[in-house]
Amino acid sequence: MKRRESIFKSKLIWAIIAEILILLVCLLMRPDFFKIEYQPQTHMWYGSLIDIINRSAEITIIAMGMTLVIATGGTDLSVGALVAVAGALALKLLRWDVTVYNTPGDYTVQPFILVLFVPMLVCLAMGMFNGVLIAKFKMQPIIATLVLMVAGRGIAQIATNGKQFTTLYAPFRFIGQGSLLALPMPIIISAVAVLGVSLFTRLTSYGMFIESVGINRNASRVSGIKSDTIILIAYALTGFLSGVAGLIYASRISSCDSNNAGLNYELDAILAVVIGGTNMSGGKFSLAGTVVGSIIIRTITTFVYYFGIVSESIMAFKALIIAVVIVLQSEPVRKWMSSRKNTGADRIGGGVHA
Amino acid sequence: MLNAQRRRRSPLSSLANPKYIMVYATIGIFLLIYLAGAAAYGSKGFRSVRTFMLMFIDNAYIGISAVGMTMVLITGGIDLSVGAVASLTGMIIAYGNSVLGVHPLMCIAIALVVGVGLGLTMGAMIQYLNVPPFIATLAGMFLARGVTSLISRESISISNSMIDAWAGWKKYFVKLQDGEWVKIKPVAYINLNVVLFLVMIVLGALILQRTRFGRNVYAIGGSEQSAKLMGLPVARTKILVYGFNGLCSVLAGLAYALYVKSGWNLALQGAELDVISAAVIGGVLLTGGAGYMIGTLFGVMLKATIPALITFNGSLSSWWGKIATGALLLIFIGLQRIVVVSTERRSKQGGK
């Protein structure tokens, strides 16, 4: 009895319930929605569920960093632009000599290791730039990251001279289109990212410090936590993970598209974090919740595509789901519900809101 | 605005008030960039009244929306839905008039109800459900954009005699020559959008500086807790501010519809960023509590100068515009930071 109450107090449960409900609607409309098949030719499992997780990989990876950023009480709006920067740089390095654009080539001009690491390191540096503005110069996160959000796409366009390159280089395409252990590569990469960030926050004291900084930056500093460094790491990590996501995106489409790569990713990533139950004002965070949030967002998109609904109306569906989840998670509603279930125990808000 | 301050104390001393420093910075940088452009491309016509007025005409819809955004930002909130609501307005006018045959005035009235209603709803969500403004208005943005797409996925042109008359209304700049009024060369004019933009700026400034409501807006932005303790109507003010921003978004959508004479579900994507950055460049503090309409006016102008310069240069990629805007933002938040830190230091010394 006691356990059930605590389950309903958690914000995560509402996200999971929402996801199950959407999946149930899908199942009702298409009984074969859950079918998963093994394709011997490509050595991969196929099915809508696999596809949902596969396609949510970029947002999941970015949202891992975003969770930490939001837990410190900030936001990072530049992630979508960084995705474009990473893709543009990777393709530029792969096809340094191209004169005729859009002729696919199955070679690389630079050592492949450079193609992988330069974009990630540039994104890491851009993340650190955000972090320095916010941690050292105490700027407002929303506008400090707005700088790169606006300028980032310009940088990506100038890196590729406003052109799109296409590549057929197999090792590069493997990142987004290949498979490992019979699963699509993006799923593996995002699993590594989720595991890495979880271990980093749970095995070291970093996770605890982040919550502490998010709850009260000054108090944390006074009690000996290096708030600035903690915040800087969160933004740098988000930049790095955006770079990884950018490589996956570019590899998926085998080209770079500085206009549309990562478009609105910042919104989706922030949404994933919030749906997952992390409070925008900072403090406690839930990486598991963020993963569920990211999958919910992708499920809605798949749902809309799968049933042939006008694709631009995804936004209206997203708005509905956000509204429902947010209203359910909002303090007044949860207080009201808990007071009905369990009169007297009014400790709901304390745990999460801090 | 400035005049309001001027009346109370001696004009010069109140103008030297450090709280105007951001506005002066904006005006200064605008003049610097504009004069640099005039020096470099003056021979190509950058100095002409026509170029100057075209910057107004091309950015009027951003400016109209920035009036509402300024107010929202001063309360310490943010509104991401403005571009989508403006696009929805254009679509309601285009679809309502061209497809359903509804009178444009009726369409505009419907758009006003929808836009203001959405704004008030978001405000209520933010106030009563404690939803962060970023998320609540993000939902509003998705909803407005989604509904626009549900109405139509294609661009619909507007062809209505009244709308045509509004869009075509021009007031030419004239000069007295040989006892006769003739149009100046190259021809310069203002249109309805510019008038609407300037009227909204003045209206916004009057509301902010001359009404109790305006003072409440500043008080909430300064410290919501203190405003509540002082017994100010925090809930009502906050909700109304989002409602007013909805009104501005609808008017911006109307201006944009007059500008392009069509409605399109993907129009004005990302416009919210232009609007927010215009306000920030104009010296509005994102933490709330500080900012002036006159600053926003120059913020819009400053942002408009960059693409104009790039066009006049001719050889630069238009993408440099984005990088320049990012750099401008960086300069201004850096300046704001310096101002905030120095004021804090001064008030600390005063305390001792």
Side-chain angles (χ1 to χ4, degrees):
Chain A
M1 185 64 199
K2 187 145 198 198
R3 177 181 281 176
R4 216 186 65 204
E5 274 165 18
S6 67
I7 283 175
F8 276 96
K9 279 179 191 173
S10 127
K11 281 182 166 188
L12 181 60
I13 196 70
W14 293 112
I16 294 177
I17 289 176
E19 170 69 12
I20 291 172
L21 282 180
I22 307 170
L23 284 177
L24 276 180
V25 173
C26 291
L27 190 64
L28 282 178
M29 288 170 76
R30 286 276 176 96
D32 61 346
F33 192 83
F34 283 7
K35 206 167 116 194
I36 295 176
E37 268 180 311
Y38 184 71
Q39 289 275 334
Q41 298 98 323
T42 52
H43 310 291
M44 246 198 285
W45 289 94
Y46 279 97
S48 306
L49 291 183
I50 299 272
D51 190 59
I52 288 173
I53 302 176
N54 181 12
R55 300 268 164 187
S56 71
E58 285 101 320
I59 296 295
T60 308
I61 292 172
I62 297 173
M64 282 299 107
M66 189 70 85
T67 310
L68 302 185
V69 163
I70 288 180
T72 67
T75 343
D76 190 342
L77 296 183
S78 69
V79 292
L82 292 199
V83 165
V85 170
L89 283 180
L91 266 289
K92 177 78 184 173
L93 288 170
L94 270 175
R95 309 284 318 276
W96 190 270
D97 60 340
V98 280
T99 44
V100 185
Y101 300 104
N102 275 322
T103 42
D106 56 355
Y107 57 91
T108 169
V109 186
Q110 313 290 343
F112 189 53
I113 195 102
L114 263 185
V115 175
L116 287 187
F117 278 91
V118 169
M120 288 197 276
L121 289 180
V122 168
C123 287
L124 176 73
M126 287 179 157
M128 284 176 79
F129 172 78
N130 286 334
V132 167
L133 288 187
I134 293 154
K136 302 284 176 210
F137 296 105
K138 312 270 185 298
M139 287 176 181
Q140 272 268 295
I142 288 184
I143 35 178
T145 55
L146 187 65
V147 172
L148 269 184
M149 181 190 189
V150 175
R153 269 177 209 284
I155 294 170
Q157 289 281 3
I158 283 167
T160 59
N161 225 345
K163 304 289 197 306
Q164 294 185 15
F165 309 133
T166 315
T167 184
L168 290 175
Y169 186 57
F172 184 69
R173 304 212 317 169
F174 181 77
I175 304 170
Q177 300 173 23
S179 69
L180 194 73
L181 306 170
L183 285 171
M185 260 317 266
I187 296 188
I188 306 286
I189 300 175
S190 67
V192 169
V194 172
L195 211 69
V197 176
S198 311
L199 289 180
F200 178 48
T201 51
R202 291 300 162 217
L203 291 187
T204 68
S205 46
Y206 183 69
M208 204 180 67
F209 285 165
I210 270 208
E211 291 186 352
S212 152
V213 169
I215 291 165
N216 191 330
R217 186 164 163 178
N218 284 331
S220 312
R221 192 175 47 77
V222 171
S223 56
I225 297 172
K226 287 185 177 138
S227 301
D228 292 359
T229 318
I230 299 289
I231 292 174
L232 182 65
I233 292 174
Y235 284 93
L237 186 66
T238 307
F240 175 76
L241 292 173
S242 310
V244 175
L247 289 179
I248 296 178
Y249 184 93
S251 166
R252 240 193 246 282
I253 60 171
S254 306
S255 78
C256 59
D257 182 352
S258 303
N259 276 328
N260 295 314
L263 195 65
N264 290 341
Y265 272 26
E266 54 283 346
L267 303 181
D268 278 350
I270 293 169
L271 259 185
V273 175
V274 172
I275 291 177
T278 302
N279 202 313
M280 283 272 300
S281 54
K284 293 216 172 211
F285 63 90
S286 157
L287 292 170
T290 301
V291 175
V292 176
S294 163
I295 291 174
I296 287 185
I297 291 174
R298 190 61 218 182
T299 314
I300 300 167
T301 317
T302 307
F303 172 81
V304 168
Y305 283 146
Y306 210 78
F307 297 108
I309 306 167
V310 187
S311 61
E312 282 94 342
S313 64
I314 291 171
M315 294 218 157
F317 282 91
K318 272 189 194 166
L320 276 180
I321 306 269
I322 302 165
V324 171
V325 173
I326 278 171
V327 169
L328 282 178
Q329 285 181 353
S330 74
E331 232 172 294
V333 174
R334 284 187 310 130
K335 240 174 212 166
W336 176 73
M337 288 180 59
S338 69
S339 67
R340 275 165 51 107
K341 259 196 217 94
N342 179 8
T343 36
D346 196 22
R347 298 180 51 231
I348 293 295
V352 190
H353 191 66
Chain B
M1 263 189 338
L2 295 177
N3 288 337
Q5 295 296 325
R6 218 177 260 171
R7 267 197 344 172
R8 279 181 214 136
R9 273 173 258 132
S10 83
L12 277 176
S13 71
S14 66
L15 275 179
N17 195 322
K19 68 184 182 179
Y20 296 129
I21 225 166
M22 287 312 297
V23 175
Y24 294 147
T26 310
I27 297 175
I29 292 181
F30 168 71
L31 286 178
L32 201 72
I33 291 184
Y34 185 80
L35 291 178
Y41 308 115
S43 54
K44 291 189 197 166
F46 191 84
R47 259 183 316 216
S48 67
V49 184
R50 177 186 174 80
T51 309
F52 191 75
M53 291 326 294
L54 278 178
M55 291 196 316
F56 264 98
I57 290 165
D58 293 341
N59 293 281
Y61 60 95
I62 296 285
I64 294 168
S65 182
V67 171
M69 185 65 82
T70 304
M71 222 175 267
V72 170
L73 293 180
I74 290 176
T75 63
I78 197 163
D79 192 341
L80 301 179
S81 72
V82 292
V85 172
S87 172
L88 176 62
T89 304
M91 184 53 89
I92 290 177
I93 297 172
Y95 188 83
N97 186 253
S98 300
V99 179
L100 301 178
V102 182
H103 193 271
L105 280 180
M106 189 63 200
C107 295
I108 294 171
I110 294 170
L112 276 175
V113 172
V114 172
V116 176
L118 182 66
L120 292 174
T121 314
M122 290 186 303
M125 264 177 91
I126 292 162
Q127 176 60 32
Y128 294 117
L129 296 182
N130 266 339
V131 182
F134 191 91
I135 296 295
T137 58
L138 180 62
M141 165 187 162
F142 280 163
L143 185 68
R145 193 62 80 182
V147 169
T148 315
S149 302
L150 283 177
I151 296 175
S152 166
R153 298 167 70 188
E154 271 136 45
S155 172
I156 302 175
S157 65
I158 304 172
S159 50
N160 176 277
S161 56
M162 196 182 88
I163 296 285
D164 284 346
W166 285 7
W169 185 88
K170 282 171 189 166
K171 198 84 194 157
Y172 288 95
F173 281 65
V174 289
K175 61 179 175 188
L176 199 58
Q177 198 176 43
D178 307 329
E180 253 182 293
W181 290 103
V182 291
K183 289 174 190 169
I184 59 167
K185 295 254 184 253
V187 178
Y189 61 89
I190 55 169
N191 62 7
L192 211 57
N193 287 351
V194 179
V195 175
L196 189 59
F197 173 30
L198 296 177
V199 166
M200 288 308 288
I201 286 276
V202 172
L203 183 71
L206 284 179
I207 291 176
L208 274 182
Q209 308 299 332
R210 288 301 186 83
T211 64
R212 193 172 291 167
F213 177 79
R215 279 198 293 279
N216 292 344
V217 168
Y218 279 109
I220 291 173
S223 166
E224 191 170 335
Q225 209 58 40
S226 315
K228 231 176 242 167
L229 290 175
M230 284 197 295
L232 298 178
V234 170
R236 197 183 68 198
T237 310
K238 259 170 90 179
I239 294 170
L240 278 179
V241 161
Y242 284 92
F244 179 76
N245 194 31
L247 173 82
C248 289
S249 310
V250 171
L251 291 179
L254 174 64
Y256 189 72
L258 291 179
Y259 182 59
V260 298
K261 284 219 237 162
S262 69
W264 186 34
N265 64 339
L266 298 179
L268 291 168
Q269 259 185 331
E272 54 280 350
L273 288 182
D274 289 327
V275 174
I276 293 170
S277 44
V280 170
I281 291 175
V284 181
L285 219 59
L286 246 94
T287 35
Y292 297 95
M293 281 299 163
I294 184 92
T296 300
L297 171 68
F298 278 95
V300 174
M301 291 313 298
L302 185 49
K303 252 194 109 247
T305 322
I306 297 164
L309 274 178
I310 286 172
T311 316
F312 270 87
N313 177 287
S315 65
L316 274 177
S317 152
S318 68
W319 292 104
W320 282 106
K322 292 224 160 198
I323 296 180
T325 310
L328 266 185
L329 271 174
L330 191 60
I331 292 173
F332 274 92
I333 51 178
L335 270 180
Q336 287 183 350
R337 197 55 220 159
I338 293 170
V339 171
V340 169
V341 168
S342 63
T343 350
E344 268 170 12
R345 202 164 289 159
R346 199 175 301 142
S347 66
K348 247 180 214 162
Q349 280 165 354
K352 280 172 193 169

